[in-house]
Amino acid sequence: MTAGSSEFRSLLNNLRARLDAERIPFAIGGSFATAARGYVRGTKDLDVMVVLSGEEDLLRVHRALLAAPTRFAWVNEVDFQDEETRLLIELLPVIDDAQRYAFDTAPLTPFQGAAGIRILSTEGIVLMLLRQATQERLANLQRIADIENLAARGAIDWKPVREWSQRMGYEAAYRQVRAPEKPPL
Amino acid sequence: MATEGFPSPERVAQLHREARARLEEEFRRMTPLERMEEAYRLSTYMIDSSTVES
């Protein structure tokens, strides 16, 4: 194990301990989940999806991350920076059905004993990338490229992705993706 | 010729492709967690604290 990997494991462990203590379910998304599912590239953001059972839960999440011993610093309203790895932790509360689907289908990945951590499935990541691409409109090329790179590295079950894209209005982004197995809308 | 003894641009492009394929094969053999660690290792050069608001 390299020094870098122990730093990263320490970060995941710390995050898990803090969020578990507050009983906040969470899943790793974004580029780290994309790496876990086969397409490895550098990134400075660690996306953490959190499920809130009430609005007051978000305060508990912030409190948990800022609790002693100090490790995470406030960067802005939604991002924290991990003082050890310098990664930006982006908190993404689940606020729509597509995110809920991505969260609910995220497999538990074995991680240092305990119950493991949730990492989005390939299909969940693709759906979240389509969501981002739709919301960002013009700045979506990186998202589409990430989907195509994932598709080139392993099988994607396009059926749920297609259905959710139609249900959520991600059709334009879906059409942009060039992947041989992708069914048309 | 100034290029004698050097690989051709086509050969260099081929070597790039082979190197990338070799690394991709190594990634494929890793566990999901190991691939995330690789992403972190590749990330360290990108992280510049000066770009982050304090």
Side-chain angles (χ1 to χ4, degrees), chain A residues 4-5 7-9 12 28 32 35-44 75 81 85-88 109 111 119 153, chain B residues 20 24 27-28 30-49 51-54:
Chain A
S5 66
E7 273 174 22
F8 186 72
R9 282 174 193 235
L12 289 184
I28 304 299
F32 279 101
R37 301 300 168 217
Y39 175 47
V40 179
R41 71 165 172 82
T43 174
K44 54 185 170 43
V75 175
Q81 186 167 35
T85 62
R86 311 303 291 170
L87 286 171
L88 287 180
T109 299
F111 178 67
I119 302 174
R153 283 162 180 78
Chain B
R20 183 74 201 209
E24 291 283 349
F27 291 150
R28 263 194 293 279
M30 292 177 181
T31 66
L33 188 60
E34 286 169 340
R35 281 195 290 269
M36 291 208 296
E37 289 167 355
E38 274 300 292
Y40 169 62
R41 191 179 62 75
L42 294 173
S43 304
T44 48
Y45 79 96
M46 302 171 68
I47 298 170
D48 175 6
S49 58
T51 62
V52 175
E53 296 168 35
S54 55

Side-chain angles (χ1 to χ4, degrees), chain A residues 39-138:
Chain A
Y39 175 47
V40 179
R41 71 165 172 82
T43 174
K44 54 185 170 43
D45 301 319
L46 175 66
D47 289 2
V48 179
M49 290 179 78
V50 289
V51 176
L52 309 177
S53 51
E55 290 184 357
E56 70 284 355
D57 276 1
L58 197 53
L59 172 62
R60 290 170 49 221
V61 173
H62 280 244
R63 227 192 268 290
L65 291 187
L66 293 176
T70 309
R71 170 155 187 162
F72 302 100
W74 247 329
V75 175
N76 55 41
E77 289 82 356
V78 296
D79 296 328
F80 291 78
Q81 186 167 35
D82 175 32
E83 299 288 6
E84 202 170 307
T85 62
R86 311 303 291 170
L87 286 171
L88 287 180
I89 314 294
E90 187 172 356
L91 289 176
L92 300 165
V94 170
I95 55 170
D96 66 34
D97 285 344
Q99 284 181 307
R100 184 81 222 191
Y101 164 81
F103 187 92
D104 286 347
T105 54
L108 273 174
T109 299
F111 178 67
Q112 303 195 340
I117 52 169
R118 282 176 185 271
I119 302 174
L120 295 199
S121 68
T122 304
E123 290 73 24
I125 296 164
V126 170
L127 189 62
M128 292 300 93
L129 288 166
L130 290 171
R131 180 180 185 271
Q132 284 177 287
T134 301
Q135 291 173 348
E136 293 163 359
R137 292 177 194 281
L138 295 177

